[in-house]
Amino acid sequence: MKDKVLILNQDFSAIAVCSIYKAFLLVYLEKAEMITRSEAGALRTITRTYPVPSVIRLQRYVHVPYHGIALSRHNVMRRDNYTCQYCGTIKNLTLDHLLPRSRGGETNWQNLVTACTRCNSRKGDRTPEEAGLKLLRKPIRPSLQYFLKMHLDTTNQDWGMYLGVKE
Ligand SMILES: [Zn+2]
């Protein structure tokens, strides 16, 4: 069963993903309304049947401070889909500074990629070009929408219209 629910702000902008349990609670407490039902079916108690939400919308507008996604080891790996950005493996992952720190490389979204220990040590104190390594993707600063879209493949397709994804 698909177990994630997309939360929309009052203005229908996507702001988060939560569990079905939390979504139920928000709807039950009348903090949110159900926008789309999940195809996953319904939750049944002895006396009642509750449709499972796929998208809910907050009743009141919530100010989401716009300072983006926090730069962290976890979030860099998440952005890179937990794959080494040089060879594509998913094992023994570390973070690599494209321009090494020892050479003044900064710790930011554009200079950090997920790399396996093997590629990382092969690269050593060099840039990818110097080491003859090619990046699978150019590292970007991810937005909240970017992370929400990553859920799309595995969750409900009816989220697409709220995330600006053409269907
Ligand atoms: Zn690698």
Side-chain angles (χ1 to χ4, degrees):
M1 178 159 136
K2 290 163 177 171
D3 58 351
K4 293 289 179 203
V5 178
L6 181 67
I7 303 180
L8 304 178
N9 213 337
Q10 201 225 355
D11 66 353
F12 287 92
S13 59
I15 51 170
V17 170
C18 72
S19 66
I20 282 179
Y21 175 75
K22 189 182 172 192
F24 261 117
L25 209 59
L26 287 168
V27 172
Y28 177 75
L29 295 171
E30 297 184 347
K31 301 218 180 275
E33 60 172 338
M34 192 181 314
I35 297 292
T36 315
R37 289 171 66 151
S38 169
E39 290 161 11
L43 285 192
R44 290 184 176 83
T45 65
I46 294 168
T47 52
R48 289 196 62 178
T49 302
Y50 299 91
V52 173
S54 172
V55 180
I56 61 170
R57 173 183 168 232
L58 297 178
Q59 302 281 21
R60 292 178 65 179
Y61 187 81
V62 172
H63 272 281
V64 184
Y66 193 78
H67 41 62
I69 304 287
L71 179 65
S72 69
R73 177 187 169 85
H74 174 73
N75 281 339
V76 170
M77 291 194 174
R78 202 166 145 212
R79 178 199 65 188
D80 296 341
N81 212 10
Y82 299 94
T83 48
C84 171
Q85 293 300 290
Y86 298 113
C87 73
T89 187
I90 54 169
K91 287 181 186 159
N92 303 319
L93 298 176
T94 60
L95 288 190
D96 174 51
H97 283 76
L98 298 181
L99 177 65
R101 255 183 305 186
S102 58
R103 292 166 56 182
E106 285 180 34
T107 298
N108 60 34
W109 287 108
Q110 286 79 19
N111 198 43
L112 279 176
V113 293
T114 307
C116 71
T117 48
R118 209 164 135 245
C119 290
N120 209 337
S121 68
R122 184 179 150 199
K123 180 171 169 286
D125 212 11
R126 297 175 291 180
T127 66
E129 298 78 46
E130 290 166 355
L133 288 165
K134 261 214 157 116
L135 281 171
L136 297 180
R137 286 187 303 181
K138 191 168 180 265
I140 54 140
R141 171 195 291 271
S143 62
L144 177 62
Q145 302 268 319
Y146 178 91
F147 277 149
L148 292 177
K149 275 177 197 169
M150 290 180 78
H151 284 278
L152 265 181
D153 292 339
T154 49
T155 54
N156 301 302
Q157 288 305 310
D158 53 6
W159 291 10
M161 62 181 292
Y162 300 106
L163 296 175
V165 179
K166 287 202 182 105
E167 296 192 43

Coordinates of all heavy atoms in Angstrom, one line a residue, residues 83-93 114-120 133, ligand 1:
T83 N 23.6 7.3 -4.7 CA 24.5 6.7 -5.7 C 25.8 7.5 -5.9 O 25.7 8.7 -5.9 CB 23.9 6.5 -7.1 OG1 23.3 7.7 -7.5 CG2 22.8 5.4 -7.1
C84 N 26.9 6.8 -6.0 CA 28.1 7.4 -6.3 C 28.0 8.2 -7.6 O 27.6 7.6 -8.6 CB 29.3 6.4 -6.4 SG 30.8 7.1 -7.0
Q85 N 28.3 9.5 -7.6 CA 28.1 10.3 -8.8 C 29.2 10.1 -9.9 O 29.2 10.7 -10.9 CB 28.0 11.8 -8.4 CG 26.8 12.1 -7.6 CD 25.5 11.7 -8.3 OE1 25.1 12.4 -9.3 NE2 24.8 10.7 -7.9
Y86 N 30.1 9.2 -9.6 CA 31.2 8.9 -10.6 C 30.9 7.5 -11.2 O 30.9 7.4 -12.4 CB 32.6 8.9 -10.0 CG 32.9 10.2 -9.4 CD1 33.1 10.4 -8.0 CD2 33.1 11.3 -10.2 CE1 33.4 11.7 -7.5 CE2 33.5 12.6 -9.7 CZ 33.6 12.7 -8.4 OH 33.9 14.0 -7.8
C87 N 30.7 6.5 -10.4 CA 30.5 5.1 -11.0 C 29.1 4.6 -10.8 O 28.8 3.5 -11.4 CB 31.6 4.2 -10.4 SG 31.2 3.7 -8.6
G88 N 28.3 5.2 -10.0 CA 26.9 4.8 -9.9 C 26.6 3.7 -8.9 O 25.5 3.2 -8.8
T89 N 27.7 3.3 -8.2 CA 27.4 2.3 -7.1 C 26.6 2.8 -6.0 O 26.6 4.1 -5.8 CB 28.7 1.6 -6.6 OG1 28.4 0.5 -5.8 CG2 29.5 2.6 -5.8
I90 N 26.0 2.0 -5.2 CA 25.2 2.4 -4.0 C 25.9 1.9 -2.7 O 25.3 2.0 -1.7 CB 23.8 1.9 -4.1 CG1 23.7 0.4 -4.3 CG2 23.0 2.5 -5.2 CD1 22.3 -0.2 -4.1
K91 N 27.1 1.4 -2.9 CA 27.8 0.9 -1.7 C 28.9 1.8 -1.2 O 29.6 2.5 -2.0 CB 28.4 -0.5 -2.0 CG 27.3 -1.6 -2.1 CD 27.9 -2.9 -2.4 CE 26.9 -3.9 -2.7 NZ 27.4 -5.1 -3.4
N92 N 29.2 1.8 0.1 CA 30.3 2.5 0.7 C 30.4 4.0 0.3 O 31.3 4.4 -0.2 CB 31.7 1.8 0.3 CG 31.7 0.4 0.8 OD1 31.2 0.0 1.9 ND2 32.2 -0.5 -0.1
L93 N 29.3 4.6 0.6 CA 29.2 6.0 0.1 C 29.8 7.0 1.1 O 29.7 6.9 2.3 CB 27.7 6.4 -0.1 CG 27.1 5.6 -1.2 CD1 25.6 5.9 -1.4 CD2 27.8 5.7 -2.6
T114 N 28.0 12.9 -3.8 CA 28.1 11.5 -3.2 C 29.1 10.7 -4.0 O 29.0 10.7 -5.2 CB 26.7 10.8 -3.2 OG1 25.8 11.7 -2.6 CG2 26.8 9.5 -2.5
A115 N 30.0 10.1 -3.3 CA 31.0 9.3 -4.0 C 31.3 8.1 -3.2 O 31.3 8.2 -1.9 CB 32.3 10.1 -4.2
C116 N 31.6 7.0 -3.8 CA 32.0 5.8 -3.1 C 33.4 5.9 -2.6 O 34.2 6.7 -3.1 CB 31.8 4.5 -3.9 SG 32.9 4.3 -5.2
T117 N 33.8 5.1 -1.6 CA 35.2 5.3 -1.1 C 36.2 5.0 -2.2 O 37.3 5.6 -2.2 CB 35.4 4.3 0.1 OG1 34.9 3.0 -0.3 CG2 34.6 4.7 1.3
R118 N 35.9 4.1 -3.1 CA 36.8 3.7 -4.1 C 37.1 4.9 -5.1 O 38.3 5.3 -5.3 CB 36.3 2.5 -4.9 CG 37.4 1.7 -5.5 CD 36.9 0.3 -6.0 NE 37.4 0.0 -7.3 CZ 36.7 -0.1 -8.4 NH1 35.4 0.0 -8.3 NH2 37.2 -0.3 -9.5
C119 N 36.0 5.5 -5.6 CA 36.2 6.7 -6.4 C 36.8 7.9 -5.7 O 37.6 8.6 -6.2 CB 34.8 7.1 -7.0 SG 34.2 6.0 -8.2
N120 N 36.4 8.0 -4.4 CA 36.9 9.1 -3.6 C 38.4 9.0 -3.4 O 39.2 10.0 -3.6 CB 36.2 9.1 -2.2 CG 36.1 10.5 -1.7 OD1 36.9 11.4 -2.0 ND2 35.2 10.7 -0.8
L133 N 37.8 11.7 -14.0 CA 36.5 11.2 -13.6 C 35.3 12.0 -14.1 O 35.5 13.3 -14.1 CB 36.4 11.1 -12.0 CG 37.2 10.1 -11.3 CD1 37.3 10.4 -9.8 CD2 36.6 8.7 -11.5
Ligands
ZN1 ZN 32.2 5.3 -7.2

